[in-house]
Coordinates of all heavy atoms in Angstrom, one line a residue:
R1 N 0.9 -1.2 0.0 CA 0.0 0.0 0.0 C 0.9 1.2 0.0 O 1.8 1.3 0.8 CB -0.9 -0.1 1.3 CG -2.1 0.7 1.2 CD -3.0 0.6 2.4 NE -2.6 -0.4 3.4 CZ -3.4 -1.0 4.2 NH1 -4.6 -0.7 4.3 NH2 -3.0 -1.9 5.1
N2 N 0.6 2.2 -0.9 CA 1.4 3.4 -0.9 C 0.9 4.4 0.2 O -0.1 4.2 0.8 CB 1.4 4.0 -2.3 CG 0.0 4.6 -2.7 OD1 -0.7 5.1 -1.8 ND2 -0.3 4.5 -4.0
T3 N 1.7 5.4 0.4 CA 1.5 6.4 1.4 C 0.1 7.1 1.3 O -0.6 7.3 2.2 CB 2.6 7.4 1.5 OG1 3.9 6.7 1.7 CG2 2.4 8.4 2.6
E4 N -0.2 7.4 0.0 CA -1.5 8.1 -0.2 C -2.7 7.2 0.1 O -3.6 7.7 0.7 CB -1.5 8.5 -1.7 CG -2.7 9.4 -2.0 CD -2.7 9.9 -3.5 OE1 -1.7 10.5 -3.9 OE2 -3.7 9.6 -4.2
Q5 N -2.6 6.0 -0.2 CA -3.7 5.0 0.1 C -3.7 4.9 1.7 O -4.8 4.8 2.2 CB -3.4 3.7 -0.5 CG -3.6 3.6 -2.0 CD -3.2 2.3 -2.6 OE1 -2.2 1.7 -2.1 NE2 -4.0 1.9 -3.6
Q6 N -2.6 4.8 2.3 CA -2.5 4.6 3.8 C -3.2 5.8 4.4 O -4.0 5.7 5.4 CB -1.1 4.5 4.2 CG -0.9 4.1 5.7 CD -1.2 2.6 5.9 OE1 -1.4 1.8 5.0 NE2 -1.2 2.3 7.2
E7 N -2.8 7.0 4.0 CA -3.4 8.2 4.6 C -4.9 8.3 4.3 O -5.7 8.7 5.2 CB -2.7 9.5 4.0 CG -1.3 9.7 4.5 CD -0.6 10.8 3.9 OE1 -1.2 11.5 3.0 OE2 0.6 11.0 4.2
S8 N -5.4 7.9 3.1 CA -6.8 7.9 2.8 C -7.5 6.9 3.8 O -8.6 7.2 4.3 CB -7.0 7.5 1.4 OG -8.4 7.4 1.1
L9 N -6.9 5.7 4.0 CA -7.5 4.7 4.9 C -7.5 5.3 6.3 O -8.5 5.1 7.0 CB -6.7 3.4 4.8 CG -7.4 2.2 5.4 CD1 -8.8 2.0 4.8 CD2 -6.5 1.0 5.1
E10 N -6.5 5.9 6.7 CA -6.5 6.6 8.1 C -7.6 7.6 8.2 O -8.3 7.6 9.2 CB -5.1 7.2 8.3 CG -4.0 6.3 8.7 CD -2.7 7.0 9.0 OE1 -2.7 8.2 9.0 OE2 -1.8 6.3 9.4
D11 N -7.7 8.4 7.2 CA -8.8 9.5 7.2 C -10.2 8.8 7.3 O -11.0 9.3 8.0 CB -8.7 10.4 5.9 CG -7.5 11.3 5.9 OD1 -6.9 11.5 7.0 OD2 -7.2 11.8 4.9
D12 N -10.4 7.7 6.5 CA -11.6 7.0 6.5 C -11.9 6.4 7.9 O -13.0 6.5 8.4 CB -11.7 5.9 5.5 CG -11.8 6.4 4.1 OD1 -12.1 7.6 3.9 OD2 -11.5 5.6 3.2
A13 N -10.8 5.9 8.5 CA -11.0 5.3 9.9 C -11.3 6.4 10.9 O -12.1 6.2 11.8 CB -9.7 4.5 10.3
I14 N -10.7 7.5 10.8 CA -10.9 8.6 11.7 C -12.4 9.1 11.5 O -13.1 9.3 12.5 CB -9.9 9.7 11.6 CG1 -8.6 9.2 12.1 CG2 -10.3 11.0 12.2 CD1 -7.4 10.1 11.8
D15 N -12.8 9.3 10.3 CA -14.2 9.7 10.0 C -15.2 8.6 10.6 O -16.2 9.0 11.1 CB -14.4 9.9 8.5 CG -13.7 11.1 8.0 OD1 -13.3 12.0 8.8 OD2 -13.6 11.2 6.8
A16 N -14.8 7.3 10.4 CA -15.7 6.3 10.9 C -15.8 6.3 12.4 O -16.8 6.0 13.0 CB -15.2 4.9 10.4
H17 N -14.6 6.6 13.1 CA -14.6 6.7 14.5 C -15.5 7.9 15.0 O -16.3 7.7 15.9 CB -13.2 6.9 15.0 CG -13.1 6.8 16.5 ND1 -12.6 7.9 17.3 CD2 -13.4 5.9 17.4 CE1 -12.6 7.5 18.5 NE2 -13.1 6.3 18.6
R18 N -15.4 9.0 14.3 CA -16.3 10.1 14.7 C -17.8 9.8 14.5 O -18.6 10.1 15.3 CB -16.0 11.3 13.8 CG -14.8 12.1 14.1 CD -14.7 13.4 13.3 NE -13.4 14.0 13.6 CZ -12.4 14.1 12.8 NH1 -12.5 13.5 11.6 NH2 -11.3 14.7 13.1
A19 N -18.1 9.1 13.4 CA -19.5 8.6 13.1 C -19.9 7.7 14.2 O -21.1 7.8 14.7 CB -19.6 8.0 11.8
Y20 N -19.0 6.8 14.7 CA -19.4 5.8 15.7 C -19.6 6.6 17.0 O -20.6 6.3 17.7 CB -18.3 4.8 15.9 CG -18.5 4.0 17.2 CD1 -19.6 3.1 17.3 CD2 -17.6 4.0 18.2 CE1 -19.8 2.4 18.4 CE2 -17.8 3.3 19.4 CZ -18.9 2.5 19.5 OH -19.1 1.8 20.6
L21 N -18.8 7.5 17.4 CA -19.0 8.3 18.6 C -20.3 9.1 18.6 O -21.1 9.1 19.6 CB -17.8 9.3 18.9 CG -16.5 8.6 19.3 CD1 -15.4 9.7 19.4 CD2 -16.6 7.8 20.5
Q22 N -20.6 9.7 17.4 CA -21.9 10.4 17.3 C -23.0 9.5 17.4 O -24.0 9.8 18.1 CB -21.9 11.1 16.0 CG -23.1 12.1 15.8 CD -23.1 13.2 16.9 OE1 -22.0 13.8 17.2 NE2 -24.2 13.5 17.4
A23 N -23.0 8.3 16.8 CA -24.1 7.3 16.9 C -24.2 6.8 18.3 O -25.4 6.6 18.7 CB -23.8 6.2 15.9
L24 N -23.1 6.6 19.0 CA -23.2 6.2 20.4 C -23.9 7.2 21.2 O -24.8 6.9 22.1 CB -21.8 5.9 20.9 CG -21.6 5.5 22.4 CD1 -22.3 4.2 22.6 CD2 -20.2 5.4 22.7
L25 N -23.6 8.5 21.0 CA -24.3 9.5 21.8 C -25.8 9.6 21.4 O -26.6 9.8 22.3 CB -23.6 10.9 21.5 CG -22.2 11.0 22.0 CD1 -21.6 12.3 21.5 CD2 -22.2 10.9 23.5
V26 N -26.1 9.5 20.2 CA -27.5 9.5 19.8 C -28.2 8.3 20.5 O -29.3 8.5 21.0 CB -27.7 9.4 18.3 CG1 -29.1 9.2 17.9 CG2 -27.2 10.7 17.6
W27 N -27.6 7.1 20.5 CA -28.2 6.0 21.1 C -28.4 6.2 22.6 O -29.5 5.9 23.2 CB -27.4 4.7 20.8 CG -27.8 3.5 21.6 CD1 -28.9 2.7 21.4 CD2 -27.2 3.0 22.8 NE1 -29.0 1.8 22.4 CE2 -28.0 1.9 23.2 CE3 -26.1 3.4 23.5 CZ2 -27.6 1.2 24.4 CZ3 -25.7 2.7 24.6 CH2 -26.5 1.6 25.1
E28 N -27.4 6.7 23.2 CA -27.5 7.0 24.7 C -28.6 8.1 25.0 O -29.3 7.9 25.9 CB -26.1 7.5 25.2 CG -25.1 6.4 25.3 CD -23.8 6.9 25.8 OE1 -23.5 8.1 25.8 OE2 -22.9 6.0 26.2
R29 N -28.6 9.1 24.2 CA -29.6 10.1 24.4 C -31.0 9.6 24.1 O -31.9 9.9 24.9 CB -29.3 11.3 23.4 CG -30.3 12.5 23.7 CD -29.9 13.7 22.9 NE -29.6 13.4 21.5 CZ -28.4 13.7 21.0 NH1 -27.4 14.3 21.7 NH2 -28.1 13.4 19.7
T30 N -31.2 8.8 23.1 CA -32.5 8.2 22.8 C -32.9 7.3 23.9 O -34.1 7.3 24.4 CB -32.4 7.4 21.5 OG1 -32.0 8.3 20.4 CG2 -33.7 6.8 21.1
T31 N -32.0 6.5 24.5 CA -32.3 5.6 25.6 C -32.7 6.4 26.8 O -33.7 6.1 27.5 CB -31.1 4.7 25.9 OG1 -30.8 3.9 24.7 CG2 -31.4 3.7 27.0
H32 N -31.9 7.5 27.1 CA -32.2 8.3 28.2 C -33.6 9.0 28.1 O -34.4 9.0 29.0 CB -31.1 9.4 28.3 CG -31.4 10.5 29.3 ND1 -31.2 10.3 30.7 CD2 -31.9 11.7 29.2 CE1 -31.6 11.4 31.3 NE2 -32.0 12.2 30.5
E33 N -33.9 9.5 26.9 CA -35.1 10.3 26.7 C -36.3 9.3 26.9 O -37.4 9.7 27.3 CB -35.1 11.0 25.4 CG -34.2 12.2 25.4 CD -34.1 12.8 24.0 OE1 -34.6 12.2 23.0 OE2 -33.4 13.8 23.9
A34 N -36.1 8.1 26.6 CA -37.2 7.1 26.7 C -37.6 6.8 28.1 O -38.7 6.4 28.4 CB -36.9 5.8 26.0
S35 N -36.7 7.0 29.0 CA -36.9 6.7 30.4 C -36.9 7.9 31.4 O -37.3 7.8 32.5 CB -35.9 5.7 30.9 OG -34.6 6.2 30.9
C36 N -36.5 9.1 30.9 CA -36.4 10.2 31.8 C -37.8 11.0 31.7 O -38.2 11.5 30.7 CB -35.3 11.1 31.3 SG -35.1 12.6 32.3
P37 N -38.4 11.2 32.9 CA -39.6 11.9 33.0 C -39.5 13.4 32.6 O -40.4 14.1 32.2 CB -40.1 11.8 34.4 CG -38.9 11.4 35.2 CD -37.9 10.8 34.2
I38 N -38.3 14.0 32.7 CA -38.0 15.4 32.3 C -37.8 15.5 30.8 O -38.3 16.4 30.2 CB -36.9 15.9 33.2 CG1 -37.2 15.9 34.7 CG2 -36.5 17.3 32.7 CD1 -36.1 16.2 35.6
C39 N -36.9 14.7 30.3 CA -36.5 14.8 28.9 C -37.4 14.1 27.9 O -37.4 14.4 26.8 CB -35.1 14.2 28.7 SG -33.8 15.0 29.7
G40 N -38.1 13.1 28.4 CA -38.9 12.2 27.5 C -40.0 13.0 26.8 O -40.6 13.9 27.3
S41 N -40.2 12.6 25.6 CA -41.3 13.2 24.8 C -42.6 12.6 25.2 O -42.8 11.3 25.2 CB -41.1 12.9 23.3 OG -42.2 13.3 22.6
K42 N -43.6 13.4 25.6 CA -44.9 12.9 26.0 C -45.7 12.6 24.7 O -46.7 11.9 24.8 CB -45.6 14.0 26.8 CG -44.9 14.5 28.0 CD -44.7 13.4 29.0 CE -44.0 14.0 30.2 NZ -42.9 13.4 30.7
N43 N -45.2 13.0 23.6 CA -45.9 12.8 22.3 C -45.6 11.4 21.7 O -46.1 11.1 20.7 CB -45.6 13.9 21.3 CG -46.1 15.2 21.8 OD1 -47.1 15.3 22.5 ND2 -45.4 16.3 21.5
M44 N -44.6 10.7 22.3 CA -44.2 9.4 21.7 C -44.8 8.3 22.6 O -44.7 8.3 23.8 CB -42.7 9.3 21.6 CG -42.1 10.1 20.5 SD -40.3 9.9 20.4 CE -40.2 8.3 19.7
S45 N -45.3 7.3 21.9 CA -45.7 6.1 22.6 C -44.5 5.2 23.1 O -43.4 5.4 22.6 CB -46.6 5.2 21.7 OG -45.8 4.7 20.7
V46 N -44.8 4.3 24.0 CA -43.7 3.4 24.4 C -43.2 2.6 23.2 O -42.0 2.4 23.1 CB -44.3 2.4 25.5 CG1 -43.3 1.3 25.8 CG2 -44.7 3.2 26.7
E47 N -44.0 2.2 22.3 CA -43.6 1.5 21.1 C -42.7 2.4 20.2 O -41.7 1.9 19.7 CB -44.8 1.0 20.3 CG -45.6 -0.1 21.0 CD -46.6 0.5 22.1 OE1 -46.9 1.7 22.0 OE2 -46.9 -0.3 23.0
A48 N -43.1 3.6 20.1 CA -42.3 4.5 19.3 C -40.9 4.7 19.9 O -39.9 4.8 19.2 CB -43.0 5.9 19.1
H49 N -40.8 4.9 21.3 CA -39.6 5.0 21.9 C -38.7 3.7 21.7 O -37.5 3.8 21.4 CB -39.8 5.2 23.5 CG -40.0 6.6 23.8 ND1 -39.1 7.6 23.7 CD2 -41.1 7.2 24.4 CE1 -39.5 8.7 24.1 NE2 -40.8 8.5 24.5
K50 N -39.3 2.5 21.9 CA -38.6 1.3 21.7 C -38.1 1.2 20.2 O -36.9 0.8 20.0 CB -39.5 0.1 22.0 CG -39.7 -0.1 23.4 CD -40.6 -1.4 23.6 CE -40.9 -1.6 25.1 NZ -41.8 -2.7 25.3
S51 N -38.9 1.6 19.3 CA -38.5 1.6 17.9 C -37.3 2.5 17.6 O -36.3 2.2 16.9 CB -39.6 2.0 17.0 OG -39.3 2.0 15.6
A52 N -37.4 3.7 18.2 CA -36.3 4.7 18.1 C -35.0 4.2 18.7 O -33.9 4.3 18.2 CB -36.7 6.0 18.8
I53 N -35.1 3.5 19.9 CA -33.9 2.9 20.5 C -33.3 1.8 19.7 O -32.1 1.8 19.5 CB -34.3 2.4 21.9 CG1 -34.6 3.5 22.9 CG2 -33.1 1.5 22.5 CD1 -35.2 3.1 24.2
V54 N -34.1 0.9 19.1 CA -33.7 -0.2 18.3 C -33.0 0.4 17.0 O -31.9 0.0 16.6 CB -34.8 -1.1 17.9 CG1 -34.4 -2.1 16.8 CG2 -35.3 -1.9 19.1
A55 N -33.6 1.4 16.4 CA -32.9 2.0 15.2 C -31.6 2.7 15.6 O -30.6 2.5 14.8 CB -33.9 3.1 14.6
A56 N -31.6 3.4 16.7 CA -30.3 4.1 17.1 C -29.2 3.0 17.4 O -28.1 3.2 17.1 CB -30.6 5.0 18.3
E57 N -29.6 2.0 18.0 CA -28.7 0.9 18.4 C -28.1 0.2 17.1 O -26.9 -0.1 17.0 CB -29.3 -0.1 19.3 CG -28.3 -1.1 19.9 CD -28.7 -1.9 21.0 OE1 -29.9 -1.8 21.4 OE2 -27.9 -2.6 21.6
A58 N -29.0 0.0 16.2 CA -28.6 -0.6 14.9 C -27.6 0.3 14.2 O -26.6 -0.2 13.6 CB -29.8 -1.0 14.0
H59 N -27.9 1.6 14.1 CA -27.0 2.5 13.5 C -25.6 2.6 14.2 O -24.6 2.5 13.6 CB -27.6 3.9 13.4 CG -26.7 4.9 12.8 ND1 -26.4 4.9 11.4 CD2 -26.1 6.0 13.3 CE1 -25.6 5.9 11.2 NE2 -25.4 6.6 12.3
K60 N -25.7 2.6 15.5 CA -24.5 2.6 16.3 C -23.6 1.4 16.0 O -22.4 1.5 15.8 CB -24.8 2.7 17.8 CG -23.6 2.5 18.8 CD -24.1 2.4 20.2 CE -24.9 1.2 20.6 NZ -24.2 -0.1 20.8
E61 N -24.3 0.2 16.0 CA -23.5 -1.0 15.7 C -22.9 -1.0 14.3 O -21.8 -1.5 14.1 CB -24.5 -2.2 15.9 CG -23.8 -3.5 15.8 CD -22.7 -3.8 16.8 OE1 -22.5 -3.1 17.8 OE2 -21.9 -4.8 16.5
A62 N -23.7 -0.5 13.3 CA -23.1 -0.5 11.9 C -21.9 0.5 11.9 O -20.9 0.1 11.2 CB -24.2 0.0 11.0
C63 N -22.0 1.6 12.6 CA -20.8 2.5 12.7 C -19.6 1.8 13.4 O -18.5 2.0 12.9 CB -21.2 3.8 13.4 SG -22.3 4.8 12.4
R64 N -19.9 1.1 14.4 CA -18.8 0.4 15.1 C -18.1 -0.6 14.2 O -16.9 -0.7 14.2 CB -19.4 -0.3 16.4 CG -18.2 -0.9 17.3 CD -18.8 -1.8 18.3 NE -19.5 -3.0 17.8 CZ -18.8 -4.1 17.3 NH1 -17.5 -4.1 17.3 NH2 -19.5 -5.1 16.8
V65 N -18.9 -1.4 13.5 CA -18.4 -2.4 12.6 C -17.6 -1.8 11.5 O -16.5 -2.3 11.2 CB -19.5 -3.3 12.1 CG1 -19.0 -4.2 10.9 CG2 -20.1 -4.1 13.2
R66 N -18.1 -0.7 11.0 CA -17.3 0.0 9.9 C -15.9 0.5 10.4 O -14.9 0.3 9.8 CB -18.1 1.2 9.4 CG -17.3 2.1 8.5 CD -17.8 2.1 7.1 NE -17.2 3.2 6.3 CZ -16.1 2.9 5.5 NH1 -15.6 1.7 5.4 NH2 -15.6 3.9 4.8
F67 N -15.9 1.1 11.6 CA -14.7 1.5 12.2 C -13.8 0.4 12.5 O -12.6 0.4 12.1 CB -15.0 2.3 13.5 CG -13.8 2.7 14.3 CD1 -12.8 3.5 13.8 CD2 -13.6 2.2 15.6 CE1 -11.7 3.9 14.5 CE2 -12.4 2.5 16.3 CZ -11.5 3.4 15.7
R68 N -14.3 -0.7 13.0 CA -13.5 -1.9 13.3 C -12.9 -2.5 12.1 O -11.7 -2.8 12.0 CB -14.3 -2.9 14.0 CG -13.5 -4.2 14.5 CD -14.3 -5.4 14.6 NE -14.9 -5.7 13.3 CZ -16.1 -6.4 13.2 NH1 -16.8 -6.8 14.3 NH2 -16.6 -6.6 12.0
D69 N -13.7 -2.5 11.0 CA -13.2 -3.1 9.8 C -12.0 -2.2 9.2 O -11.0 -2.8 8.7 CB -14.3 -3.2 8.7 CG -15.3 -4.4 9.1 OD1 -15.0 -5.2 10.0 OD2 -16.3 -4.4 8.5
L70 N -12.2 -0.9 9.2 CA -11.1 -0.1 8.7 C -9.8 -0.2 9.6 O -8.7 -0.2 9.0 CB -11.6 1.4 8.7 CG -12.6 1.7 7.6 CD1 -13.3 3.0 7.9 CD2 -12.0 1.7 6.2
V71 N -10.0 -0.3 10.9 CA -8.9 -0.4 11.8 C -8.2 -1.8 11.5 O -6.9 -1.9 11.4 CB -9.3 -0.3 13.2 CG1 -8.2 -0.8 14.2 CG2 -9.6 1.1 13.6
D72 N -9.0 -2.8 11.2 CA -8.4 -4.1 10.9 C -7.6 -4.0 9.6 O -6.5 -4.6 9.4 CB -9.5 -5.2 10.7 CG -10.1 -5.6 12.0 OD1 -9.5 -5.3 13.1 OD2 -11.1 -6.3 12.0
Q73 N -8.1 -3.3 8.6 CA -7.4 -3.1 7.3 C -6.1 -2.4 7.6 O -5.0 -2.7 7.0 CB -8.2 -2.3 6.3 CG -9.3 -3.1 5.7 CD -10.1 -2.2 4.7 OE1 -9.6 -1.2 4.1 NE2 -11.4 -2.5 4.5
L74 N -6.1 -1.3 8.4 CA -4.9 -0.6 8.7 C -3.9 -1.4 9.5 O -2.7 -1.3 9.4 CB -5.2 0.7 9.5 CG -5.7 1.9 8.8 CD1 -6.2 3.0 9.7 CD2 -4.5 2.5 7.9
G75 N -4.4 -2.1 10.5 CA -3.5 -2.9 11.4 C -3.2 -2.1 12.7 O -2.4 -2.5 13.5
Y76 N -3.8 -0.9 12.8 CA -3.6 -0.1 14.0 C -4.7 1.0 14.0 O -5.4 1.2 13.1 CB -2.2 0.6 14.0 CG -2.0 1.5 12.8 CD1 -2.3 2.9 12.9 CD2 -1.5 1.1 11.6 CE1 -2.2 3.7 11.8 CE2 -1.3 1.9 10.5 CZ -1.7 3.2 10.6 OH -1.5 4.1 9.5
V77 N -4.9 1.6 15.2 CA -5.9 2.7 15.4 C -5.1 4.0 15.1 O -4.2 4.3 15.9 CB -6.5 2.6 16.8 CG1 -7.4 3.8 17.0 CG2 -7.2 1.3 17.1
P78 N -5.6 4.7 14.1 CA -4.9 6.0 13.9 C -5.2 7.0 15.0 O -6.3 7.0 15.6 CB -5.5 6.5 12.5 CG -6.8 5.7 12.4 CD -6.6 4.5 13.2
R79 N -4.2 7.8 15.3 CA -4.4 8.8 16.4 C -4.3 10.2 15.8 O -3.4 10.5 15.1 CB -3.2 8.6 17.4 CG -3.1 7.2 17.9 CD -3.8 7.1 19.3 NE -3.5 5.8 19.9 CZ -4.5 5.0 20.3 NH1 -5.7 5.4 20.2 NH2 -4.2 3.8 20.8
R80 N -5.2 11.0 16.2 CA -5.2 12.4 15.9 C -5.8 13.1 17.1 O -6.6 12.6 17.8 CB -6.0 12.7 14.7 CG -5.5 12.1 13.4 CD -5.4 13.0 12.3 NE -4.8 12.4 11.2 CZ -5.4 12.2 10.0 NH1 -6.6 12.7 9.8 NH2 -4.8 11.6 9.0
G81 N -5.3 14.3 17.4 CA -5.7 15.0 18.6 C -7.0 15.7 18.6 O -7.5 16.2 19.6
D82 N -7.7 15.7 17.4 CA -8.9 16.5 17.3 C -10.2 15.6 17.5 O -11.3 16.1 17.2 CB -9.0 17.1 15.9 CG -9.0 16.2 14.8 OD1 -8.7 15.0 15.0 OD2 -9.2 16.6 13.6
L83 N -10.0 14.5 18.1 CA -11.2 13.7 18.4 C -11.7 13.9 19.8 O -10.9 13.8 20.7 CB -10.9 12.2 18.2 CG -11.0 11.6 16.8 CD1 -10.7 10.1 16.9 CD2 -12.3 11.9 16.1
A84 N -12.9 14.4 20.0 CA -13.4 14.6 21.3 C -14.9 14.4 21.2 O -15.6 14.6 20.2 CB -13.1 16.0 21.8
L85 N -15.5 14.1 22.3 CA -17.0 14.0 22.4 C -17.6 15.4 22.3 O -17.1 16.3 23.0 CB -17.4 13.3 23.7 CG -17.0 11.9 23.9 CD1 -17.4 11.4 25.3 CD2 -17.7 11.0 22.8
P86 N -18.7 15.5 21.5 CA -19.3 16.8 21.5 C -20.1 17.1 22.8 O -20.4 16.2 23.6 CB -20.3 16.7 20.3 CG -20.4 15.2 20.1 CD -19.2 14.5 20.6
D87 N -20.4 18.3 23.0 CA -21.1 18.7 24.2 C -22.5 18.1 24.3 O -23.1 18.1 25.4 CB -21.3 20.2 24.3 CG -20.0 20.9 24.6 OD1 -19.1 20.2 25.1 OD2 -19.8 22.1 24.2
E88 N -23.0 17.5 23.2 CA -24.3 16.9 23.2 C -24.5 15.7 24.1 O -25.5 15.2 24.3 CB -24.7 16.5 21.8 CG -24.7 17.6 20.8 CD -24.4 17.1 19.4 OE1 -25.4 16.8 18.7 OE2 -23.3 17.0 19.0
R89 N -23.4 15.3 24.8 CA -23.5 14.1 25.6 C -24.3 14.4 26.9 O -24.6 13.5 27.6 CB -22.1 13.6 26.0 CG -21.3 14.5 26.9 CD -19.9 13.9 27.1 NE -19.1 14.7 27.9 CZ -18.2 15.6 27.4 NH1 -18.0 15.6 26.1 NH2 -17.5 16.3 28.2
Y90 N -24.7 15.6 27.1 CA -25.5 16.0 28.2 C -26.9 16.4 27.7 O -27.0 17.1 26.8 CB -24.9 17.1 29.1 CG -23.7 16.6 29.7 CD1 -22.4 17.0 29.2 CD2 -23.7 15.9 30.9 CE1 -21.3 16.5 29.8 CE2 -22.5 15.5 31.5 CZ -21.3 15.8 30.9 OH -20.2 15.3 31.5
S91 N -27.9 15.9 28.4 CA -29.3 16.3 28.0 C -29.5 17.7 28.5 O -29.4 18.0 29.7 CB -30.2 15.3 28.6 OG -31.6 15.8 28.4
P92 N -29.9 18.6 27.6 CA -30.1 20.0 28.1 C -31.3 20.2 29.1 O -31.2 21.1 29.9 CB -30.4 20.8 26.8 CG -30.8 19.7 25.8 CD -30.2 18.4 26.2
A93 N -32.3 19.3 29.0 CA -33.4 19.5 29.8 C -33.2 19.2 31.3 O -33.6 20.0 32.2 CB -34.6 18.7 29.3
C94 N -32.5 18.1 31.6 CA -32.3 17.7 33.0 C -30.9 17.8 33.4 O -30.6 17.6 34.6 CB -33.0 16.4 33.2 SG -32.1 15.0 32.5
G95 N -30.0 17.9 32.5 CA -28.5 18.0 32.8 C -27.9 16.8 33.2 O -26.7 16.7 33.6
S96 N -28.5 15.6 33.1 CA -27.9 14.4 33.4 C -27.3 13.8 32.2 O -27.5 14.2 31.1 CB -29.0 13.4 34.0 OG -29.9 13.1 33.0
R97 N -26.4 12.8 32.4 CA -25.7 12.1 31.3 C -26.8 11.4 30.5 O -27.6 10.8 31.0 CB -24.7 11.1 31.8 CG -23.4 11.8 32.3 CD -22.4 10.7 32.5 NE -21.8 10.2 31.3 CZ -20.8 10.8 30.7 NH1 -20.3 11.9 31.1 NH2 -20.3 10.2 29.6
A98 N -26.6 11.6 29.2 CA -27.5 10.9 28.3 C -27.2 9.4 28.2 O -26.2 9.0 28.6 CB -27.4 11.5 26.9

C-alpha cells in the first residue's frame, strides 16, 4: 500500500470513529429520553420509543463495525488530537448524562 492510500484509509478510519462516537451519543440520548420523565417526549408512545432505541442501536452497531473493519485493514488505530466527544452528551433539559 502506498502512502497516499494509507493516509486515505487513516482518514476514513478517523471519520468512521467520529461517526461511531456520534451514533453512540444518539443511542445514549435516545435511551435516556425514553426513560427520563423530564427529557422524555410525551408525544411518543412506548412502542415509538422502543423503535427509536432499536434504530439508534442498529446505526451505532453499523458504525462500530465500519470503524473496526477499517482499523483491521490498517492494522492499527490512527491517532489524531482532534477527536473529542461533542457537548451533546448531556441532555439539556435535565442536565444528566444521556
